[in-house]
Amino acid sequence: MNKQITRTIAGAAIIGVGVLALLNSLNVVSIGEVFQDWWPIAIIVAGILFFMNDPRNFIWPLILVTVGSLLQLRELDIISVNPWQLFWPLVIIAVGISTLVNRSHTHKGVNKKDLDDITALLAGSSTKNESKNYKGGKVSAILGGIEIDLREAEIKEDATLNVLTVLGGVDIKVPEGWEVKSTITPIAGGVEVKTKPTGKKAPVLTIVGDVVLGGVEIKN
């Protein structure tokens, strides 16, 4: 339902732009004047669309809506502050909040060997997990790098791996036959999923978290 609503709003927005372009061609309105005063609305709409597409990941859409709203208020001469000066402090705060929210879940009653709990700070780490009931865990690479080899591990139901990367990198190797679902939020970073297609009943590894000025790669 959320994705359908998102498509509807996106489609309506595109139609609106098309109508403005038509009116501009007919000399009814001037797009330049409209865009000059109201362009931050696009940032606000983008934040709303991101939230509707994935309500659980609300922090980054909130940042977009906040920045867009401040920019709009500035364009209307209601405030004089420069929102871009606040952008990176807001990003840092959002990373901290996201870390607390995403990592508040605990795996009660789960054997430690079935979980990864890895932190690399100004260093590198290489881990191989051969669990026969892998559950996921949490990984933090801050100014460092982490390699996780899961090619000998097995997932009986599903597993969730929470990743935080700040100025670092995480490489994850998974066996062929696993389905990888990534909902990682990249901020000036990148996420690459290079796994081969799987069947409908394949075990699922869900990877969540944030990547800031770093990278995450998942491959077979």
Side-chain angles (χ1 to χ4, degrees):
M1 179 62 71
N2 287 334
K3 291 184 178 180
Q4 183 61 40
I5 295 174
T6 301
R7 293 193 193 98
T8 301
I9 296 176
I14 293 172
I15 292 172
V17 172
V19 171
L20 283 175
L22 178 61
L23 294 176
N24 182 73
S25 299
L26 297 174
N27 295 321
V28 176
V29 298
S30 173
I31 288 183
E33 293 179 359
V34 174
F35 182 79
Q36 182 178 357
D37 293 334
W38 298 98
W39 64 267
I41 292 294
I43 299 177
I44 298 173
V45 171
I48 294 173
L49 290 176
F50 283 135
F51 173 74
M52 295 181 68
N53 190 57
D54 185 10
R56 292 175 298 179
N57 191 10
F58 65 91
I59 296 172
W60 300 110
L62 181 60
I63 291 292
L64 285 177
V65 171
T66 300
V67 171
S69 299
L70 291 174
L71 286 169
Q72 185 60 70
L73 292 173
R74 189 187 66 169
E75 293 300 323
L76 297 175
D77 294 326
I78 296 175
I79 63 174
S80 59
V81 65
N82 184 359
W84 296 118
Q85 294 178 341
L86 307 177
F87 180 74
W88 282 109
L90 287 173
V91 167
I92 295 171
I93 293 171
V95 169
I97 296 174
S98 179
T99 301
L100 292 175
V101 172
N102 288 335
R103 292 165 187 268
S104 61
H105 176 71
T106 57
H107 296 80
K108 295 181 179 180
V110 176
N111 195 315
K112 289 185 178 180
K113 71 177 183 179
D114 299 328
L115 295 170
D116 279 314
D117 189 353
I118 307 168
T119 298
L121 176 61
L122 293 170
S125 174
S126 180
T127 302
K128 183 174 183 178
N129 194 313
E130 300 180 353
S131 167
K132 302 306 176 185
N133 186 22
Y134 187 69
K135 291 294 184 179
K138 55 186 178 181
V139 175
S140 301
I142 302 174
L143 293 169
I146 295 176
E147 294 183 359
I148 304 175
D149 188 348
L150 301 174
R151 289 176 294 179
E152 300 298 324
E154 297 178 10
I155 296 176
K156 290 186 177 180
E157 296 178 357
D158 54 44
T160 300
L161 185 63
N162 197 310
V163 175
L164 171 65
T165 303
V166 180
L167 291 169
V170 175
D171 292 327
I172 305 171
K173 297 178 181 178
V174 302
E176 294 185 11
W178 281 17
E179 179 181 356
V180 176
K181 295 182 179 179
S182 172
T183 60
I184 295 176
T185 301
I187 303 295
V191 179
E192 291 186 277
V193 180
K194 299 180 178 180
T195 56
K196 296 180 180 179
T198 59
K200 293 183 178 180
K201 296 184 179 180
V204 178
L205 173 64
T206 301
I207 302 179
V208 302
D210 304 293
V211 176
V212 182
L213 294 170
V216 175
E217 183 180 71
I218 305 103
K219 57 188 177 182
N220 295 129

